[in-house]
Amino acid sequence: MEGKSASPKYYGGINNKFENVIIKGLDLNIRLVFSGGNYEYNYIEQRSVNLGNGAMNLNKDLIENSWTPDNKDAKYPLLVWSYKFPYSYDENGNIVGQDDPKYNPTNPLSFNYESTSLSRYLYRADYIRVKSIEIGYTIPKVFAENRLKLTSLRLFASANNVFVFSPFYKGWDPETGDRALPPSHTFNFGINIGL
């Protein structure tokens, strides 16, 4: 779509490390990443509101908000099976409906909505992601050296891809769009030992 690029206009990150704030030896590291000014096409949403030949999972909102003669201001287009609309072309190339004597049932109007890009599924992809959080505790050096015979000992836990805030994008993930699965949430626990 004109003037709407998939390339971000800005992006970056912030990393904060806090040490000995509440308890001596305790550390907390938080990393945020952000991006914005770009657009992502939500192909998954488009497919979920397209009946097609019935092979897709459909959005439940589709049934009550599709176009009918009584609901001409509907959110979604007319529901049709296998892209065959109840219209055809007459001998002069004009579109006519089923109630018109010039309607040709052997040549219904076919429109492959699934292969057409529509701006209604284009969303701003601005986001802020909590990329990682790590909390650790370093055992006091005196205890580590005297009791455990180690130069250092640190216990830690971390989480990656904790949360993403995206006020405009309705898909799985604004960073990957629908081209790939969203980054997975991972959790790690560990011990750093200094000998």
Side-chain angles (χ1 to χ4, degrees), residues 68-110:
T68 65
D70 297 330
N71 187 15
K72 294 183 178 178
D73 294 326
K75 183 176 177 182
Y76 301 107
L78 174 69
L79 282 176
V80 295
W81 182 260
S82 197
Y83 316 111
K84 303 296 190 240
F85 286 84
Y87 304 98
S88 72
Y89 291 108
D90 65 12
E91 65 276 359
N92 298 321
N94 299 315
I95 297 175
V96 294
Q98 288 179 322
D99 55 346
D100 192 298
K102 296 178 182 176
Y103 175 75
N104 180 357
T106 61
N107 188 24
L109 184 62
S110 181

Side-chain angles (χ1 to χ4, degrees), residues 126-137:
D126 302 16
Y127 71 89
I128 297 173
R129 180 186 304 279
V130 179
K131 191 69 175 170
S132 64
I133 297 176
E134 181 174 303
I135 187 166
Y137 178 68

